[in-house]
Amino acid sequence: MQRFRRIVAALALAATATTTVAACGGGESEDDSGAKTLKLWHYEGENSAMGVGWNRAIEIFKAEHPGVEVRFERKAFEQIQQNAGMIINSSEGPDIMEYNKGNATAGLLSSQGLLTDLSTEADKRGWAGKLSPSLQTTARYSDKGVMGSGKWFGVPNYGEYVTVYYNKDLFERNGVKVPTNMAEMTAAMDTFVGKGVTPLGMAGAEYPAGQLFYQLALSRADRQFVDNYQLYKNPVDFTADPLKYGADTFAEWVRKGYVAKNSASLKAEDMGTAFIAGKTPMIVSGSWWYGRFKTEMKANWDTFLFPGNTLHAGSSGNIWVVPENSKAKSLAYDFIDITLRPEIQDLIGNNGGVPVAADASKISDPKDRKLIEDFNTVSKQDGLAFYPDWPVPGYYDVLVGGFQGLINGSKSPDQVLDTIAKPYADGVKEITGK
Amino acid sequence: MAVSETVAATSPTATTPTPRTPRRAPRGRNAAYWLYLLPGAVLFVLVIGAPLVGTVYLSLTKWSGIGDPTFVGFDNYQRLLHDDVFWASFRNTVAMIVAMVVVPTVLGLLLASVLFDVIGRRFKPRTAAALRAAFYLPQVLPVVVAGIVWGWILRPDGAFNSLLDAVGLGALRHDWLGDPGTALPAVMAVMIWVQIGYPVVVFMAALQRVDPELYEAAEVDGANWLHRFRAITLPQIRPETFVVALTCTIAALKVFGPIFALTRGGPENATNVPSYFAYYTFFKKLQVGYGSAISTVLTLIIVVVAAVFIGMQARSERRDRGF
């Protein structure tokens, strides 16, 4: 018993000594809890726009927090995607981490109490003021983990949206003008079809088909539809417009040869490389392609927003989350704050990314500037409508399967809508209990 | 034997002054044998037993992978019975068994026999060995790599369609993996290509242990190649046939890699299989309980199939020995 007491006393003494030594580091920055280390994980490539921006943010953080060590680890996207729950539930997790936005990811972790509520910081540090309502959607989650309302569990600092990439050389060679509305868009595609060129690149085996369908549906939709579809505010009728219009028009575009009938098995990479190679005049896809096209494409190219739409597939980029087990929460908040500063936002923009709070006039390359101006236009008009596969877990594969049927002609638009309606309803019921 | 005797000698039974009875001695030896099984048994419990029990337990719950699972009894199994995708995946498994067991075993038998009996005799043995290696080559490739390469070959602007063009059959160009009508046959063809080398190698090894005098005697009696194949080759290599059929059937039941690399179960579930369906449900839909129920049913089917095969093999061996 006496030996036990001696051990406890020794431990207490050691603990006191440690605290005293830590307190002696006067003048050095540290966390509320005395943390001297910030463990930071993200999965962006070193040369990507975000990678460049965040490297600089780490430098600034270190300069402003002398004595604090930043232990940065670059992780693989899949590694975080599949293991985040276990990682941040353990003591081995990071203090701050980039994580996927959405109900099935950040929403799920927040509903299980694994993420820190950032609401107070968002108000105090003015993050809420820097992000438009549609950007805030992916930052806030209800008690059930449904995005769009409730507490702040993540902070985005870059955005993404679906736009139309076009090959200027092919447009000029075929005498096609950049369309500004749907009638001009179909006329442009008719011109290409008339010259034996399939105008729109497609990849049925991955996300592009679902996104084109969603863009078409959004041309007949309003914010109420997006809220119903994405946030389950009201039931969604898959047999009526705008979804019916989206599926019917998609089928019509396949029938008219705007989209190749034999593209059902192609992957997004195939679609992108065909565009890079100058084989395809247009693709409807996300801003995540931008940097790659800029680096690899020899032909002249540019972008324009999907003609006529005020709503566009798109959202904030992935978000910074602070695990509940983080031992350096206030350091983590400081880091998030730095990534939202104009310096970092401009750096992201000047490297081909889409910052959420950038001053477009500070972006030197005209093409980069246009990408950001278009995003700012969409964001300001509250036009980010998220992605069609977001509402329920596993819906991505449902949409891929459905639209493969529409591309290869094995299913009618009504059959496809039936195919995708049931998993949606089942998934919503699973989440909301209704 | 020496080791087991040493262990037996140090056992309490061996040191007791009481003379050993004939009945007790084998029990001592049996106890020693159990000792050797211990490391394997511990590993089995850790690597197979515990995860299996865990999966069966999870199959009785509703769980998203985070937080506490909710016990729901047999709900997941009831749901399985009414799930069209589940049944479609098992129908596709039958096609996989044809592609990975039936065709490779039959073709493998014929090829091995021709390589051994015809090529091996008329040409140098090295020729037969080279051909055997060529057939086995797809087995050496990681299956995901093979899947990606075949994906390139079969894509709309891929090598296969270009080949059709080149030989004047351009009208047959097709999106082979994108059409529900052709995706499964295309995947089956790839699987035959992947699998064929395995039975060829096993059967050729088996043929080498067959007494050549049997073939010579048959030839002297005027038996042609087909007669020799039916009367000597087939019965002599029956044990290897069982092994090939069993291992390939298990591989077909749990096939995942090629489906993941080639089609992800699409289009429209045309190539979905139970293991991919379980993966998708487990990791993509985050329905861990339901995914576990699919895995449990799949495990059960594999165990039953394996037991049936092993039983058939044992019966066949008993028959051969005249028991």
Side-chain angles (χ1 to χ4, degrees), chain A residues 78 81-82 85-86 104-105 108-109 112 114 206 261-267 270 273 279 393-395 397-398 401-402 404-406 408 410-411 423 430, chain B residues 62 64-68 79 152 154-157 173-180 260-264 266-269 276 279-280 283-287:
Chain A
E78 291 291 335
Q81 165 95 335
Q82 290 179 0
M86 277 183 285
T105 46
L108 182 63
L109 294 196
Q112 298 295 330
L114 296 174
E206 287 182 354
K261 288 183 178 69
N262 65 357
S263 56
S265 67
L266 294 181
K267 307 254 169 83
D270 301 325
T273 48
K279 293 177 186 167
Y395 205 46
D397 294 74
V398 172
Q404 276 185 311
L406 214 49
N408 61 36
S410 63
K411 280 191 173 164
E430 188 87 14
Chain B
K62 188 178 174 189
S64 64
I66 297 168
D68 296 324
R79 187 177 153 194
W152 290 342
L154 293 170
R155 48 185 271 171
D157 56 350
R173 285 180 71 100
H174 197 68
D175 185 7
W176 301 99
L177 294 172
D179 181 338
F260 184 82
L262 275 168
T263 60
R264 309 256 160 134
E268 300 163 48
N269 293 314
Y276 183 79
Y279 159 83
Y280 166 70
F283 292 107
K284 299 281 179 180
K285 292 184 86 174
L286 301 175
Q287 295 176 359

Side-chain angles (χ1 to χ4, degrees), chain B residues 108-191:
Chain B
L109 258 174
L110 285 171
L111 283 169
S113 190
V114 168
L115 285 175
F116 183 80
D117 203 21
V118 182
I119 309 279
R121 286 185 188 192
R122 298 203 179 162
F123 301 90
K124 286 180 184 166
R126 208 181 286 170
T127 313
L131 286 170
R132 181 182 57 189
F135 282 118
Y136 194 72
L137 208 57
Q139 288 272 313
V140 178
L141 274 179
V143 75
V144 173
V145 173
I148 291 170
V149 172
W150 272 102
W152 290 342
I153 293 171
L154 293 170
R155 48 185 271 171
D157 56 350
F160 188 62
N161 280 334
S162 303
L163 187 71
L164 287 175
D165 271 343
V167 297
L169 296 171
L172 296 177
R173 285 180 71 100
H174 197 68
D175 185 7
W176 301 99
L177 294 172
D179 181 338
T182 55
L184 188 59
V187 170
M188 287 170 73
V190 174
M191 292 322 297

Side-chain angles (χ1 to χ4, degrees), chain B residues 25-300:
Chain B
R27 267 168 68 187
R29 276 209 295 275
N30 281 344
Y33 289 139
W34 279 108
L35 207 62
Y36 291 104
L37 286 177
L38 203 60
V42 169
L43 272 177
F44 177 84
V45 169
L46 287 178
V47 179
I48 297 171
L52 183 66
V53 171
T55 305
V56 173
Y57 166 69
L58 286 176
S59 76
L60 303 173
T61 68
K62 188 178 174 189
W63 193 39
S64 64
I66 297 168
D68 296 324
T70 313
F71 189 78
V72 293
F74 288 95
D75 282 7
N76 289 324
Y77 292 94
Q78 276 179 345
R79 187 177 153 194
L80 264 186
L81 290 175
H82 302 104
D83 190 332
D84 293 342
V85 181
F86 175 72
W87 292 111
S89 72
F90 271 100
R91 280 196 295 278
N92 293 338
T93 298
V94 175
M96 286 295 123
I97 289 173
V98 171
M100 294 176 69
V101 187
V102 180
V103 177
T105 307
V106 172
L107 277 183
L109 258 174
L110 285 171
L111 283 169
S113 190
V114 168
L115 285 175
F116 183 80
D117 203 21
V118 182
I119 309 279
R121 286 185 188 192
R122 298 203 179 162
F123 301 90
K124 286 180 184 166
R126 208 181 286 170
T127 313
L131 286 170
R132 181 182 57 189
F135 282 118
Y136 194 72
L137 208 57
Q139 288 272 313
V140 178
L141 274 179
V143 75
V144 173
V145 173
I148 291 170
V149 172
W150 272 102
W152 290 342
I153 293 171
L154 293 170
R155 48 185 271 171
D157 56 350
F160 188 62
N161 280 334
S162 303
L163 187 71
L164 287 175
D165 271 343
V167 297
L169 296 171
L172 296 177
R173 285 180 71 100
H174 197 68
D175 185 7
W176 301 99
L177 294 172
D179 181 338
T182 55
L184 188 59
V187 170
M188 287 170 73
V190 174
M191 292 322 297
I192 291 170
W193 176 84
V194 169
Q195 283 291 99
I196 195 80
Y198 172 62
V200 168
V201 167
V202 174
F203 291 146
M204 281 190 78
L207 286 168
Q208 273 162 358
R209 70 169 170 74
V210 179
D211 189 349
E213 286 181 9
L214 281 173
Y215 286 106
E216 285 161 18
E219 271 185 271
V220 170
D221 286 346
N224 63 21
W225 181 83
L226 195 63
H227 289 140
R228 293 200 301 276
F229 178 72
R230 283 171 53 190
I232 301 171
T233 307
L234 279 183
Q236 287 290 319
I237 64 169
R238 196 184 295 147
E240 284 80 2
T241 314
F242 270 115
V243 170
V244 165
L246 174 63
T247 50
C248 289
T249 305
I250 291 173
L253 286 169
K254 66 185 184 69
V255 65
F256 175 83
I259 300 295
F260 184 82
L262 275 168
T263 60
R264 309 256 160 134
E268 300 163 48
N269 293 314
T271 59
N272 209 345
V273 287
S275 55
Y276 183 79
F277 184 44
Y279 159 83
Y280 166 70
T281 310
F282 202 107
F283 292 107
K284 299 281 179 180
K285 292 184 86 174
L286 301 175
Q287 295 176 359
V288 175
Y290 193 46
S292 300
I294 301 165
S295 304
T296 305
V297 170
L298 184 60
T299 308
L300 198 67

Side-chain angles (χ1 to χ4, degrees), chain A residues 182-227:
Chain A
M182 191 49 84
E184 287 177 15
M185 178 79 172
T186 50
M189 292 196 288
D190 281 331
T191 309
F192 280 116
V193 170
K195 299 197 175 187
V197 178
T198 305
L200 208 53
M202 183 43 66
E206 287 182 354
Y207 61 83
Q211 290 188 358
L212 176 63
F213 153 73
Y214 194 52
Q215 285 291 118
L216 290 166
L218 289 174
S219 69
R220 296 284 175 95
D222 55 13
R223 179 53 60 182
Q224 185 61 50
F225 163 79
V226 175
D227 286 351

Side-chain angles (χ1 to χ4, degrees), chain A residues 3 25 36 124 183 186 188 192 221 275 298 367 379 392-393:
Chain A
R3 186 196 278 177
K36 304 288 286 175
K124 197 169 84 187
T186 50
F192 280 116
F275 183 71
K298 290 194 178 76
K367 204 184 276 183
S379 180
V392 294

Side-chain angles (χ1 to χ4, degrees), chain A residues 286-353:
Chain A
S287 50
W288 48 88
W289 284 106
Y290 183 87
R292 177 140 176 230
F293 292 161
K294 206 174 164 189
T295 316
E296 295 182 19
M297 197 155 162
K298 290 194 178 76
N300 286 314
W301 62 279
D302 210 333
T303 61
F304 58 87
L305 283 172
F306 197 77
N309 277 32
T310 48
L311 289 166
H312 299 263
S315 75
S316 80
N318 289 316
I319 52 180
W320 291 114
V321 296
V322 180
E324 191 56 57
N325 283 347
S326 168
K327 296 175 196 75
K329 286 184 181 173
S330 82
L331 292 178
Y333 306 149
D334 286 352
F335 182 79
I336 294 173
D337 207 46
I338 292 170
T339 64
L340 283 167
R341 285 183 193 168
E343 179 187 350
I344 303 300
Q345 290 288 297
D346 295 345
L347 200 57
I348 292 173
N350 276 316
N351 280 280

Side-chain angles (χ1 to χ4, degrees), chain A residues 62-128:
Chain A
K62 282 179 179 168
E64 292 179 0
H65 299 76
V68 173
E69 183 199 357
V70 178
R71 278 167 51 197
F72 163 60
E73 290 178 37
R74 177 170 286 108
K75 299 288 178 185
F77 177 83
E78 291 291 335
Q79 207 177 356
I80 300 267
Q81 165 95 335
Q82 290 179 0
N83 303 312
M86 277 183 285
I87 290 167
I88 67 170
N89 208 8
S90 75
S91 57
E92 302 301 312
D95 298 309
I96 177 170
M97 178 174 86
E98 180 188 13
Y99 193 48
N100 310 1
K101 71 271 175 181
N103 296 347
T105 46
L108 182 63
L109 294 196
S110 69
S111 69
Q112 298 295 330
L114 296 174
L115 300 181
T116 305
D117 174 9
L118 304 172
S119 305
T120 313
E121 296 299 319
D123 287 340
K124 197 169 84 187
R125 296 176 185 249
W127 299 338

